[in-house]
Amino acid sequence: MDVTQILFWFLSALAVVAAVGVVVSKSPIYSVLWLIVVFFSISGHYILMNAQFLAIVNIIVYAGAIMVLFLFVVMMINLNADAEPAKHIYLKIAGVIAGMCLMLVFIAALGHSDDIKISLAKGSDIGLIKNLGKALFNQYVIPFEISSVLFLSAMVGAIVIGKKDEPQNKPII
Amino acid sequence: MEIKWYIFLSVALFCIGIIGALTRRNAIIVFMCIELMLNSVNLLLVAFSKMHLSGMGAGFPQYATDAQLFVFFIMVVAAAEVSVGLAIIVMMYRNTHSIDINFLNRLKN
């Protein structure tokens, strides 16, 4: 067994266990911490597949920025442990069965695909920032600019939504 | 490493995200499960990029670059989505003092 294969299985097991931890943990703050573990293991997979730029961006954007936002919101909301009322047990069982059925369908549909080997040991410079930056600023300039407009609109939207209501506008719900 | 193990890993992460979104009622945890699904799709895209680079005769390096840039744009959209979604959750908590998503089943009034 190769060292890359050992790393693959270790990171896969870590990702799946941490993802289950996100779903089953009671408190949202533990869910956030498990989700950070998932993101780090996925970054490890990116590094194994020679996508170094995406690995760094994944750590910076997801594990750094987005998870800090989640932690801010969880701490600001200040939930009690019993804030989440228990869902009906039949609904939970139905949800788990539905998800398992979807997984079964996916695996049955994709399990007989061609066995194409990925040689993880052979490196390449596709994932380096030089190559990706050249492609991003030559070929993908228009989507890049459109995504900057998207960020601007998201920022304006977050400010408008998060603003306190005026006193004459009573909250509706 | 064969490509199907990456497919199975992504399917497993995606379905765990779906199970979480179906069974939990805390809005923040449902939102985190959506992030988990987005990340599983990103992982599959990077695996297919690597497959085009080293598996199938290594004939199409342009496809590998395209796939990785696609992952980059998915991350951009996810970051914008998170900022707006968390603002909606905070507003919902301010109005109802709860983040149970069953409060959102009545959109009228």
Side-chain angles (χ1 to χ4, degrees):
Chain A
M1 209 162 169
D2 209 352
V3 64
T4 56
Q5 285 188 349
I6 294 171
L7 273 175
F8 171 81
W9 290 114
F10 172 69
L11 288 172
S12 304
L14 186 66
V16 172
V17 167
V20 172
V22 171
V23 174
V24 301
S25 63
K26 291 276 181 214
S27 163
I29 209 143
Y30 287 118
S31 283
V32 171
L33 296 178
W34 279 118
L35 197 57
I36 291 175
V37 175
V38 176
F39 288 155
F40 270 94
S41 64
I42 286 179
S43 287
H45 275 295
Y46 289 167
I47 291 174
L48 269 185
M49 288 186 282
N50 281 113
Q52 293 94 345
F53 174 66
L54 285 180
I56 291 299
V57 166
N58 199 38
I59 287 178
I60 290 174
V61 172
Y62 272 108
I66 292 181
M67 285 301 112
V68 168
L69 264 181
F70 270 107
L71 278 179
F72 266 140
V73 171
V74 169
M75 284 191 254
M76 197 168 73
I77 282 179
N78 190 15
L79 289 172
N80 299 320
D82 53 357
E84 182 179 2
K87 209 169 187 173
H88 205 271
I89 187 69
Y90 290 136
L91 285 178
K92 278 190 178 176
I93 292 174
V96 171
I97 288 175
M100 288 296 175
C101 285
L102 184 70
M103 189 159 79
L104 196 68
V105 168
F106 272 139
I107 287 179
L110 299 172
H112 300 291
S113 57
D114 297 337
D115 285 341
I116 299 171
K117 294 250 189 242
I118 299 179
S119 60
L120 289 176
K122 196 168 68 178
S124 68
D125 57 350
I126 286 288
L128 294 183
I129 197 167
K130 182 181 175 188
N131 178 40
L132 288 180
K134 272 182 184 168
L136 183 64
F137 288 112
N138 285 320
Q139 223 178 326
Y140 289 93
V141 168
I142 306 292
F144 183 75
E145 299 292 336
I146 291 173
S147 66
S148 75
V149 177
L150 174 73
F151 263 122
L152 183 66
S153 65
M155 195 172 69
V156 173
I159 291 173
V160 168
I161 289 172
K163 210 171 58 174
K164 276 206 191 319
D165 282 340
E166 297 296 321
Q168 67 265 23
N169 295 339
K170 291 291 183 196
I172 315 165
I173 304 175
Chain B
M1 191 55 65
E2 295 167 2
I3 187 68
K4 69 177 177 185
W5 297 116
Y6 280 105
I7 294 176
F8 289 162
L9 175 62
S10 295
V11 164
L13 288 180
F14 192 85
C15 290
I16 288 170
I18 281 186
I19 288 172
L22 286 178
T23 55
R24 297 306 296 263
R25 282 173 69 176
N26 194 332
I28 294 179
I29 294 181
V30 172
F31 209 54
M32 279 191 271
C33 290
I34 293 172
E35 293 298 312
L36 191 62
M37 289 190 254
L38 276 172
N39 263 284
S40 74
V41 173
N42 280 350
L43 179 66
L44 195 58
L45 272 174
V46 175
F48 280 142
S49 150
K50 184 68 178 169
M51 184 187 83
H52 271 290
L53 202 62
S54 71
M56 301 173 58
F60 307 103
Q62 180 60 39
Y63 290 168
T65 308
D66 285 349
Q68 299 206 355
L69 282 177
F70 211 88
V71 173
F72 182 69
F73 283 118
I74 289 176
M75 285 180 186
V76 166
V77 172
E81 173 225 339
V82 162
S83 65
V84 176
L86 286 178
I88 290 175
I89 287 176
V90 168
M91 188 201 66
M92 175 179 152
Y93 178 74
R94 196 183 289 151
N95 284 337
T96 66
H97 291 285
S98 161
I99 53 170
D100 191 356
I101 54 171
N102 267 15
F103 274 109
L104 292 181
N105 63 357
R106 44 176 205 277
L107 287 177
K108 56 188 179 186
N109 296 333

